[in-house]
């Protein structure tokens, strides 16, 4: 980790400014043998910080001598800054964190290898020869395994997904469900406004509502709508992150962000040290899972969670 | 008045001083939203007959959750309603009565409030009586949520929805998911045992069954000035059975309640102090409901139902010290009917609801006789029909402006037809600010007792009046709902109500008693409520100012000018021990004959303990903590003018779920 000047923590400077200052200072300090890595971030919230820290620690023990330059890409107008930066500064690799940063990089960079992190949709990476990365979506079998552990009696489950990008995920889960005689009800929602009507159509005897892969569901108003439905009808909601669980969802498979960064670093090492082409490195799924369970919600929903799985839960909300 | 102005000024200053907080688009909801979810569900069904946020509902609405019922230890629905702004709860040791917005005439069997259980009408077909005390059809333990919608709602519900609609949503199988054994004991030899079982099965079938028995010895001695002291004549026994069966889109539900209440006050025609003077009410219903949302957002609800009500009593009187005669009433009502409702959104901005309802009163019998020697005083029977049709449109004119307009036409056999509209303009000029301008009319149809009951020729004659017209109310209201901070909400509701053709009992010089449309009434007032919640803390403070005039009375009976109510609940030890404090101040009220009962302040304290052992819940309540001595105006035909209320008393409740 680079050491930052004291004013880094000052509230006077916003985080974008800080990132640019760090980038410039690192650039100045870089030695001739350094490996230049450009970091593009969509956000600066703790998950992004933890992932970046994991990435940097993953490369710290390598023979690389990484020098980082960071740029925030939260708005489309900032892609101009990216173009300028790429013109002046020629990194060996670009690490993108978040969907917006990844899309901007894919649009502007054709030759430099890209390692993407914190992205839901890894299909976009597959269609670019210079890109690979680590997605956020857990494997269908892992998601199904945890559902059966925590809700073994659920027979009718509505699955909320984004109609186009999430369809494959829904179908993968449906295969698992059919094998065990569980009925999955498709609940595709293209945008947050669809949710009220969608929920009106859900069967009254539903056993669970499962948000698996939906950009819609990341809208906080939509999450609130889902939680209200869940509580009013005593239908447990399976969320997408620990924050959902803290807000009232029954459980979620959260990520070990540091390990996501280390996974990204492994890909970067393959590219930079072994010379593997990104196209030969298919995008990865997260290898570590942090199940988060809300026992208060379980009590409200009158659910009995088997004690044998509690030791595997990373975080219990009580 | 000074207090009102001060309170309102303080609240308004608070509201202006509190800057509207920005609500940045967070990636996920803040974690403290969970406390909101556990404490209150900010949407309502009963205001428009479909689910909508409270801020969109064309009414001043309160939602009470099962958690609040536990934390404040309310023992009856009447007590629950009495905690809300604008409501007053009184007890005459026969029935619990609730009045709203300055209109609470003693003797009104809650006929001007429409009470629903899971959308099923509770008010019966002889006197429109809706029991809200121990005679309520549902145990307090079995209530999941109560929606209280103030204002006229005949445009959707027909008769009796003059001042408020109270919809009690009961527990489903999934709300229990096992067995609950509970019971309580308390002062005056009071106790109850209850067994409930609820289950949602893997195949989707949901069942809920609950049975309970309640007994209270009542007050041992009750003194009534000018009459004497009634000893051991306050006993009450109640049995209840409730069930619900849900399968896919169908829900079959039903309930039975039988209650025998001994009358320490006596009643018309009885001799004060006679043992065994009692009322016995039995009420039952069965309801089959179908609800489905068809493709294209066609929301369809259908309902068929059967209802029954029976009332009998023992009214002993003495012709001489040695000659005791028991007079008995036998009233029986049965009715069935159906209801259909269709709702759809047209052109993305018009939510249109169409509905119709039919009720066939196939039994309306009211008889009275002396037991020995037998003498028949009255034997009235009739059948009747009610048909209603309604339409309502919620027009989203702008994202922050909507107009709700609707009306219902009802046709009765006796008086013909009546149409009642409702208009509501709901405007959200700023985030967190909602203004509602409301207008509506409503009616209460003359009931069978008022229109038909003929009795007692030669003694105290009653003659039915088939020419009665319905009572009507015309209501104007403004509701201002203001989110002050993340944790506080303010609501101010000024209103004006005008009632016409009020039905009241008249006694002619000849002694003949008859109900007639005899007068008008009007009431205006302001209800102010501040609600707060923070983590496991919650509370509300309300003030009601009301002025009412009722034709035929110098002072509107049982209508306090001021009411202040405070409910605060706080955790004492983690999430295992909670305290619920309730304080109610009610200013002085007039009695039926024009006397006044003094103002009073009553404090109730409840401790709720849970999670020490899995499934075990303990609570203890001290009611009238400071032993305030107070009285309620009595209800005709009971004999005394005022009836003293209970002093300090307690209840201990245990519940175990497994």
């Amino acid at each position: 980790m680079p050491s930052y000047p004291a004013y880094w923590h000052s509230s006077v400077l916003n985080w974008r400014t800080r990132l640019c200052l760090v980038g410039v200072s690192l650039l100045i300090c870089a030695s001739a043998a350094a490996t230049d890595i450009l970091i593009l971030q969509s956000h600066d919230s703790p998950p992004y910080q933890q992932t970046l820290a994991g990435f940097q620690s993953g490369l710290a023990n390598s023979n690389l001598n990484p020098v980082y330059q960071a740029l925030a890409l939260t708005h489309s107008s900032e892609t101009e800054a990216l173009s300028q930066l790429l013109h002046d500064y020629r990194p060996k690799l670009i690490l993108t964190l978040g969907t917006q940063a990844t899309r901007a990089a894919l649009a502007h960079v054709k030759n430099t290898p890209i390692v993407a992190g914190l992205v839901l949709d890894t299909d976009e990476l597959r269609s670019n020869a210079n890109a690979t990365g680590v997605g956020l979506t857990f494997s269908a079998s892992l998601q199904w395994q945890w559902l059966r552990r925590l809700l073994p009696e659920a027979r009718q489950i509505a699955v909320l997904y984004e109609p186009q990008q999430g369809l494959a995920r829904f179908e993968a889960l449906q295969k698992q469900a059919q094998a065990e005689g569980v009925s999955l009800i498709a609940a595709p929602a293209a945008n947050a406004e669809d949710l009220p009507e969608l929920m009106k159509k859900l069967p009254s005897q539903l056993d669970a509502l499962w948000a698996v892969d939906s950009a819609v569901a990341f809208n906080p108003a939509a999450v609130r709508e889902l939680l209200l439905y869940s509580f009013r009808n005593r239908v447990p909601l399976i969320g997408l992150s620990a924050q959902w669980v803290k807000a009232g969802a029954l459980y979620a498979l959260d990520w070990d962000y540091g390990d996501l960064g280390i996974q990204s670093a492994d890909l970067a090492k393959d590219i930079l040290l072994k010379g593997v082409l990104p196209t030969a490195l298919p995008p990865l799924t997260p290898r570590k899972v942090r199940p988060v369970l809300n026992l208060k919600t379980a009590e409200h929903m009158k659910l009995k969670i088997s004690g044998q799985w509690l030791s595997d839960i990373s975080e219990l909300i009580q | 008045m000074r207090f009102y102005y001060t309170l309102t000024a303080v609240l308004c200053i608070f509201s202006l001083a509190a800057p509207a907080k920005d609500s940045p688009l967070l990636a996920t909801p803040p974690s403290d939203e969970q406390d909101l979810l556990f404490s209150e569900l900010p949407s309502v069904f009963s205001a428009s007959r479909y689910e909508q946020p409270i801020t969109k509902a064309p009414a001043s609405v309160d939602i009470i959750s099962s958690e609040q019922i536990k934390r404040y230890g309310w023992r009856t629905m009447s007590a629950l309603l009495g905690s809300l702004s604008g409501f007053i709860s009184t007890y005459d040791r026969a029935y619990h009565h609730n009045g709203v917005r300055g209109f609470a005439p003693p003797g009104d069997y809650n006929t001007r409030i429409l009470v629903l259980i899971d959308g099923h009408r509770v008010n019966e077909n002889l006197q429109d009586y809706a029991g809200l005390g121990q005679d309520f059809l549902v145990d307090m333990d079995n209530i999941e949520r109560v929606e209280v919608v103030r204002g006229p709602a005949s445009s959707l519900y027909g008769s009796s929805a003059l001042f408020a609609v109270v919809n009690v949503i009961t527990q489903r199988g999934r709300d229990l998911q096992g067995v609950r054994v509970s019971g309580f004991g308390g002062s005056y030899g009071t106790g109850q045992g209850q067994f409930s079982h609820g289950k949602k099965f893997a195949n989707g079938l949901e069942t809920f069954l609950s049975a309970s028995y309640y007994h209270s010895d009542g007050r041992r001695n009750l003194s009534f000035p000018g009459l004497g002291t009634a000893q051991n004549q306050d006993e009450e026994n109640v049995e209840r059975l409730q069930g619900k069966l849900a399968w896919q889109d169908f829900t079959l539900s039903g309930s039975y309640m039988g209650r025998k209440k001994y009358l320490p006050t006596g009643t018309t025609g009885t001799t004060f102090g006679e043992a065994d003077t009692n009322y016995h009410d039995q009420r039952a219903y069965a309801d089959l409901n179908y609800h489905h949302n068809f493709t294209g957002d066609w929301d369809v609800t259908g309902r068929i139902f059967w209802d029954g009500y029976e009332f009998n009593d023992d009214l002993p009187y003495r012709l001489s010290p040695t000659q005791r005669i028991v007079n008995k009433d036998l009233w029986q009502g049965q009715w069935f009917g159906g209801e259909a409702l269709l709702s759809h959104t047209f052109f993305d901005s018009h939510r249109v609801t169409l509905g119709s309802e039919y009720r066939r009163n196939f039994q309306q019998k009211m008889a009275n006789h002396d037991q020995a020697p037998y003498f028949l005083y009255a034997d009235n029977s009739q059948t009747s029909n009610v048909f209603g049709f309604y339409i309502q449109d919620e027009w989203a004119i702008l994202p922050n402006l909507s107009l709700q307009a609707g009306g219902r036409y009802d046709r009765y056999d006796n008086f013909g037809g009546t149409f009642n509209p409702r208009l509501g303009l709901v405007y959200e000029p700023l985030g967190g600010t909602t203004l509602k301008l409301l207008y509506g009319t409503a009616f209460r149809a003359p009931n069978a007792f008022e229109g038909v009951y003929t009795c007692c020729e030669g003694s105290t004659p009653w003659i039915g009046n088939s020419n009665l017209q319905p009572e009507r109310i015309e209501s104007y209201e403004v509701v201002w709902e203001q989110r002050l901070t993340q944790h506080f909400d303010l609501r101010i509701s000024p209103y004006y109500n005008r009632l016409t053709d009020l039905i009241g009992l008249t006694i002619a010089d000849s002694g003949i008693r008859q109900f007639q449309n005899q007068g008008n009434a009007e009431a205006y007032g302001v209800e102010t409520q501040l609600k707060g919640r923070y983590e496991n803390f919650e509370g509300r403070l309300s003030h009601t100012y009301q002025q009412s005039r009722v034709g035929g009375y110098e002072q509107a009976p049982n209508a306090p000018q001021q009411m202040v109510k405070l409910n605060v609940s706080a955790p004492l030890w983690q999430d295992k021990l909670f305290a619920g404090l309730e304080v109610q101040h009610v200013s002085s009220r007039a009695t039926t004959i024009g006397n006044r009962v003094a103002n009073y302040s009553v404090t109730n304290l409840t401790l709720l303990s849970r999670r020490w052992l899995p499934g075990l819940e303990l609570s203890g309540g001290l009611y009238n903590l400071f032993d305030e001595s107070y009285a309620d105006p009595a209800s005709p035909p009971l004999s005394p003018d005022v009836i003293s209320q209970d002093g300090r008393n307690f209840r201990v409740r245990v519940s175990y779920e497994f």
Side-chain angles (χ1 to χ4, degrees):
Chain A
M1 284 283 287
S3 63
Y4 300 135
Y7 57 75
W8 173 260
H9 299 287
S10 163
S11 60
V12 176
L13 300 173
N14 67 33
W15 64 276
R16 290 178 208 156
T17 312
R18 290 179 208 157
L19 285 170
C20 291
L21 285 171
V22 169
V24 171
S25 60
L26 289 173
L27 195 61
I28 292 167
C29 299
S31 67
T35 304
D36 293 324
I37 296 177
L38 176 61
I39 296 160
L40 303 178
Q41 288 181 247
S42 299
H43 212 277
D44 190 38
S45 56
Y48 289 78
Q49 295 166 6
Q50 290 165 25
T51 309
L52 179 56
F55 181 82
Q56 290 170 331
S57 72
L59 293 187
N61 298 326
S62 67
N63 294 329
L64 295 166
N65 183 17
V67 174
Y68 302 105
Q69 168 135 341
L71 179 67
L73 281 173
T74 55
H75 299 93
S76 55
S77 60
E78 288 163 337
T79 55
E80 290 175 16
L82 173 62
S83 302
Q84 185 63 43
L85 187 64
L86 290 171
H87 184 266
D88 300 339
Y89 174 67
R90 301 196 178 272
K92 297 272 178 21
L93 183 133
I94 298 173
L95 172 72
T96 62
L97 297 178
T99 299
Q100 183 151 354
T102 302
R103 285 182 178 161
L106 293 175
H108 289 82
V109 181
K110 295 299 174 197
N111 298 318
T112 309
I114 297 171
V115 174
L118 302 182
V119 289
L120 279 171
D121 181 17
T122 53
D123 288 345
E124 289 182 61
L125 304 178
R126 292 177 212 276
S127 57
N128 287 271
N130 62 329
T132 184
V134 184
L136 281 172
T137 309
F138 293 104
S139 69
S141 59
L142 184 74
Q143 286 182 305
W144 183 255
Q145 184 185 46
W146 274 101
L147 177 94
R148 302 309 290 158
R149 284 176 174 179
L150 299 178
L151 292 170
E153 293 181 7
R155 288 290 176 272
Q156 279 199 85
I157 301 162
V159 179
L160 184 74
Y161 62 92
E162 203 281 325
Q164 291 183 335
Q165 295 170 6
L167 183 60
R169 166 67 34 159
F170 173 73
E171 289 171 347
L173 290 170
Q174 199 166 38
K175 274 186 192 168
Q176 306 260 3
Q178 282 170 346
E180 297 188 34
V182 176
S183 166
L184 289 192
I185 298 152
N191 52 62
E193 287 70 36
D194 293 346
L195 282 178
E197 292 306 316
L198 190 70
M199 285 186 287
K200 271 199 287 184
K201 293 189 178 70
L202 295 177
S204 56
Q205 308 304 317
L206 202 63
D207 295 318
L209 181 60
W210 193 5
V212 293
D213 183 9
S214 174
V216 170
F218 282 108
N219 175 332
V223 178
R224 185 183 166 84
E225 194 89 39
L226 293 171
L227 285 167
L228 282 173
Y229 174 91
S230 165
F231 271 66
R232 171 64 59 89
N233 296 287
R234 278 193 213 263
V235 173
L237 172 66
I238 302 158
L240 282 171
S241 70
Q243 285 301 314
W244 286 45
V245 181
K246 286 170 184 165
L250 176 67
Y251 81 90
L253 301 185
D254 205 13
W255 298 273
D256 182 330
Y257 294 104
D259 193 64
L260 288 176
I262 293 171
Q263 275 186 278
S264 299
D266 290 343
L267 291 172
K269 282 190 281 190
D270 285 346
I271 294 167
L272 296 172
L273 293 175
K274 298 179 184 172
V276 182
L277 293 174
T279 189
L281 296 168
L284 304 174
T285 56
R287 62 188 171 194
K288 283 192 181 175
V289 61
R290 288 186 71 254
V292 184
L293 175 69
N294 190 324
L295 286 176
K296 206 172 168 184
T297 299
E299 185 185 330
H300 176 78
M301 301 285 170
K302 308 285 180 186
L303 296 169
K304 291 178 177 67
I305 304 295
S306 173
Q308 65 175 314
W309 306 120
L310 290 181
S311 58
D312 293 337
I313 301 292
S314 301
E315 188 177 353
L316 282 173
I317 315 289
Q318 347 200 15
Chain B
M1 278 300 284
R2 185 178 299 166
F3 174 82
Y4 166 73
Y5 290 132
T6 308
L7 179 70
T8 306
V10 168
L11 293 175
C12 288
I13 289 166
F14 186 26
S15 115
L16 293 171
K21 285 194 83 170
D22 291 334
S23 53
L25 196 68
L26 302 171
T28 48
S31 58
D32 65 358
E33 287 233 337
Q34 176 168 288
D35 300 315
L36 173 71
L37 292 167
F38 281 111
S39 62
E40 180 190 297
L41 300 171
S43 65
V44 59
F45 176 86
S46 312
S48 300
R49 302 193 83 154
Y50 54 79
E51 202 81 28
Q52 62 186 157
I54 285 176
T55 51
K56 300 273 187 194
S60 166
V61 175
D62 279 310
I63 307 289
I64 301 293
S65 66
S66 58
E67 178 67 14
Q68 287 170 312
I69 292 173
K70 289 176 183 173
R71 289 201 191 181
Y72 295 117
W74 292 310
R75 295 173 288 187
T76 62
M77 270 298 296
S78 181
L80 181 156
L81 293 173
S83 75
L84 300 174
S85 61
F87 280 80
I88 184 165
S89 170
T90 57
Y91 181 44
D92 58 19
R93 311 215 79 85
Y95 297 103
H96 284 81
H97 307 268
N98 284 87
V100 193
R101 294 188 160 173
F103 197 82
D108 179 8
Y109 299 115
N110 307 316
T111 62
R112 294 163 178 102
I113 302 171
L114 178 65
V115 181
L116 307 170
I117 295 174
D118 296 322
H120 179 96
R121 173 184 284 261
V122 171
N123 303 65
E124 45 84 17
N125 75 341
L126 298 174
Q127 283 189 294
D128 294 326
Y129 145 70
L132 291 171
Q134 291 297 341
D135 49 347
F136 190 56
L137 276 157
V138 177
D139 279 291
M140 295 300 282
D141 278 3
N142 297 348
I143 294 175
E144 182 64 16
R145 189 172 83 251
V146 181
E147 298 183 351
V148 181
V149 181
R150 293 175 184 77
S154 287
S155 64
L156 281 174
Y157 293 99
S159 181
S160 290
L162 269 81
F163 289 99
V165 174
V166 177
N167 190 10
V168 177
I169 288 92
T170 64
Q171 289 189 327
R172 303 153 293 186
R174 72 183 74 176
D175 297 321
L176 187 51
Q177 207 63 4
V179 173
R180 177 172 59 222
V181 181
S182 64
F184 61 76
S187 304
Y188 313 125
T190 301
Q192 174 169 302
Q194 184 179 354
F195 174 87
S196 305
H197 179 269
K199 181 83 178 164
K200 182 181 174 191
F201 295 92
N203 62 3
L205 180 73
E206 251 180 297
T207 60
F208 183 89
L209 188 66
S210 178
S212 70
Y213 180 75
Y214 168 92
H215 169 83
S216 176
D217 291 338
R219 299 265 293 274
R220 188 162 294 175
N221 294 301
L222 277 163
S223 295
F224 302 102
L227 290 172
T229 299
Q231 293 185 321
N232 299 319
Q233 291 175 46
D234 193 31
E235 186 179 324
E236 184 173 22
N237 299 300
V238 184
E239 62 264 0
R240 288 192 197 90
L241 183 65
Q242 186 201 342
K244 194 184 270 191
L245 184 72
W247 170 249
Q248 294 184 348
D249 295 325
F250 292 91
T251 303
L252 176 66
S253 58
S255 192
Y256 165 81
M257 182 284 307
R259 175 201 188 227
K260 193 169 200 175
K261 178 68 180 72
Y262 290 83
L263 302 181
T265 61
T267 184
T268 305
T270 61
T271 303
F272 179 82
E274 279 299 315
D276 299 329
T277 306
N278 69 76
Y279 286 160
H280 185 205
D281 294 276
Q282 293 178 89
R283 178 79 172 86
Y285 77 87
D287 184 300
L288 179 64
N289 184 283
Y290 169 81
H291 175 254
H292 191 83
N293 190 273
F294 287 94
T295 307
D297 187 32
W298 291 92
D299 200 78
V300 175
T301 301
R303 180 192 294 275
I304 54 172
F305 53 81
W306 165 87
D307 280 78
Y309 170 65
E310 180 172 311
F311 169 79
N312 60 68
D313 55 19
D314 293 302
L315 306 176
Y317 64 96
R318 287 186 184 272
L319 293 176
S320 68
T322 56
Q323 191 179 6
R324 183 177 189 263
I325 294 173
V326 178
N327 181 266
K328 293 180 79 73
D329 286 294
L330 177 61
W331 292 21
Q332 292 170 316
Q334 290 191 80
W335 61 103
F336 67 83
E339 190 173 7
L341 190 149
L342 177 68
S343 185
H344 182 68
T345 302
F346 294 93
F347 313 119
D348 292 333
S349 60
H350 288 270
R351 176 73 185 254
V352 176
T353 303
L354 280 171
S356 67
E357 181 184 3
Y358 171 72
R359 288 202 305 276
R360 166 73 178 166
N361 296 307
F362 65 92
Q363 184 181 42
Q364 290 176 297
K365 174 185 171 68
M366 292 165 286
N368 179 275
H369 70 275
D370 277 349
Q371 198 170 28
Y374 181 84
F375 185 83
L376 183 66
Y377 290 102
D379 190 6
N380 306 282
S381 284
Q382 72 160 11
T383 59
S384 60
N385 299 284
V386 181
F387 173 77
F389 172 81
Y390 54 93
I391 183 167
Q392 174 188 260
D393 179 21
E394 183 185 1
W395 177 21
I397 303 167
L398 296 169
N400 63 344
L401 178 68
S402 65
L403 173 69
Q404 196 160 87
R408 170 166 164 149
Y409 176 78
D410 284 272
R411 180 148 195 94
Y412 280 70
D413 287 348
N414 50 357
F415 68 85
T418 176
F419 176 76
N420 292 275
R422 181 173 72 170
L423 289 171
L425 192 68
V426 179
Y427 179 46
E428 295 179 65
L430 301 166
T433 302
T434 304
L435 286 171
K436 301 175 180 178
L437 305 179
L438 310 173
Y439 167 80
T441 71
F443 76 104
R444 182 179 75 82
N447 57 48
F449 175 54
E450 294 160 341
V452 174
Y453 189 71
T454 299
C455 176
C456 314
E457 190 178 352
S459 56
T460 50
W462 295 65
I463 295 180
N465 183 354
S466 58
N467 295 318
L468 284 174
Q469 292 298 305
E471 291 180 351
R472 297 179 193 283
I473 187 172
E474 189 172 19
S475 175
Y476 303 84
E477 184 177 359
V478 177
V479 182
W480 171 29
E481 294 167 346
Q482 180 66 50
R483 168 144 288 198
L484 301 178
T485 70
Q486 186 185 352
H487 304 293
F488 287 97
D489 293 291
L490 174 71
R491 184 180 70 209
I492 299 178
S493 320
Y495 64 86
Y496 172 75
N497 291 331
R498 186 169 61 225
L499 291 103
T500 52
D501 290 335
L502 280 175
I503 298 171
L505 186 65
T506 60
I507 305 174
D509 292 340
S510 60
I512 292 174
R513 298 163 189 237
Q514 188 176 51
F515 285 98
Q516 291 184 352
N517 293 107
Q518 60 175 6
N520 301 330
E522 65 175 358
Y524 62 87
V526 184
E527 292 160 2
T528 307
Q529 177 173 277
L530 180 67
K531 263 175 75 171
R533 58 182 167 270
Y534 175 71
E535 294 185 346
N536 271 326
F537 295 81
E538 74 116 41
R540 56 185 150 86
L541 169 67
S542 72
H543 174 259
T544 300
Y545 169 76
Q546 56 193 19
Q547 282 281 5
S548 45
R549 284 191 290 273
V550 179
Y553 294 94
E554 279 190 23
Q555 307 168 81
N558 197 26
Q561 198 177 76
Q562 315 261 0
M563 289 189 286
V564 179
K565 298 174 181 179
L566 172 71
N567 285 77
V568 180
S569 169
L572 298 181
W573 176 254
Q574 298 175 348
D575 59 351
K576 291 183 167 67
L577 183 63
F578 294 87
L581 178 73
E582 179 172 61
V583 183
Q584 294 182 5
H585 171 81
V586 175
S587 66
S588 72
R589 293 164 288 167
T591 68
T592 310
I593 60 172
N595 296 324
R596 291 199 76 81
V597 294
N599 60 38
Y600 69 84
S601 297
V602 167
T603 302
N604 305 320
L605 179 66
T606 299
L607 294 178
L608 171 66
S609 165
R610 55 160 63 124
R611 295 195 180 97
W612 297 100
L613 291 171
L616 186 67
E617 206 169 76
L618 291 169
S619 70
L622 274 173
Y623 302 88
N624 196 354
L625 184 62
F626 300 111
D627 205 19
E628 174 94 346
S629 176
Y630 70 106
D632 282 337
S635 316
L638 304 178
S639 300
D641 187 34
V642 297
I643 294 177
S644 68
Q645 299 299 302
D646 293 342
R648 184 187 302 119
N649 63 95
F650 76 95
R651 181 184 75 159
V652 176
R653 177 181 166 274
V654 183
S655 169
Y656 180 55
E657 287 184 19
F658 56 97

